[in-house]
Amino acid sequence: RHVFLDGNDVQERMRNSAYLAIAETGFGTGLNLLAVMAEMAKCPDIRIDYLSVEAFPLTVDEMRSAHDSFPELADHAAALRAALPPPWPGQHVVALMEGRLTLHLLYGMAETMLAKSLFSADCWFLDGFSPASNPDFWSPDLCGHIARLTRAGGSLASFTAASAVRRGLQAAGFVVEKRPGYGRKREMIVG
């Protein structure tokens, strides 16, 4: 919530719009989606397209184990797990929240999947590891695709505050700044 929802002013956007497109790199356990679903429950008129790229989909059992740590999200987590598509490469579309939320899961490498994509995101949850752990992820081409797929005035937020990431996003056209991070993470970035 601190990094992705607050970093992109998602709650404010939900209160002041009828539609929002959120894009994410790294679906993982789906925890960011579950946080969005919890906020959607407070805004009954919002409709969201949530597009998420994941190279290595987790199993339902792996997700359940992670979701057990968040009992306040149990209903949303159960709905997500019940609707998950098989981990086959490509795009999968899932309806959640009585059709108000459309989840577009893009199973494959981020750069490959985004190169083939056409959408306009209002905000991005850049949930990749730091360049030290995942150097291929933060390529100039990937940053370019993120910029190309962002609506004018769109935003981004990431746990990663590495200078290489900031420079890559700035070179792609984003204005990027550091903000206080969450927990042991001293800094994060928004753009």
Side-chain angles (χ1 to χ4, degrees):
R1 288 184 181 107
H2 174 80
V3 174
F4 300 114
L5 274 62
D6 295 349
N8 282 291
D9 297 320
V10 170
Q11 298 93 333
E12 184 70 20
R13 286 176 164 178
M14 281 188 192
R15 283 191 294 272
N16 294 312
S17 335
Y19 174 77
L20 195 59
I22 299 172
E24 173 184 52
T25 55
F27 187 69
T29 63
L31 186 57
N32 295 331
L33 172 68
L34 298 178
V36 167
M37 292 170 74
E39 290 301 319
M40 283 184 74
K42 302 172 193 172
C43 300
D45 296 327
I46 189 76
R47 192 177 79 70
I48 293 179
D49 275 302
Y50 192 100
L51 304 101
S52 188
V53 180
E54 178 57 57
F56 306 102
L58 298 177
T59 67
V60 170
D61 289 338
E62 289 169 323
M63 285 191 167
R64 182 180 295 109
S65 178
H67 295 165
D68 286 346
S69 298
F70 301 93
E72 71 278 14
L73 300 173
D75 291 343
H76 299 307
L80 170 62
R81 291 191 308 268
L84 279 174
W88 302 334
Q91 181 175 353
H92 306 273
V93 179
V94 175
L96 296 165
M97 307 277 304
E98 299 173 349
R100 291 191 309 124
L101 187 147
T102 303
L103 171 61
H104 306 258
L105 279 171
L106 308 172
Y107 287 155
M109 299 302 287
E111 190 172 321
T112 303
M113 298 308 291
L114 294 180
K116 299 186 251 182
S117 295
L118 292 173
F119 59 83
S120 292
D122 294 297
C123 56
W124 283 87
F125 299 170
L126 299 180
D127 202 5
F129 291 101
S130 74
S133 302
N134 195 3
D136 295 337
F137 181 79
W138 297 106
S139 72
D141 286 343
L142 180 68
C143 291
H145 292 307
I146 291 168
R148 175 181 62 82
L149 297 170
T150 303
R151 185 181 322 275
S155 64
L156 62 85
S158 179
F159 276 110
T160 302
S163 60
V165 173
R166 289 194 321 273
R167 285 192 306 270
L169 292 168
Q170 288 167 337
F174 289 100
V175 175
V176 180
E177 67 180 68
K178 289 184 191 179
R179 287 197 186 159
Y182 181 78
R184 293 181 301 199
K185 188 74 171 126
R186 191 181 62 201
E187 296 174 323
M188 59 178 266
I189 59 172
V190 298

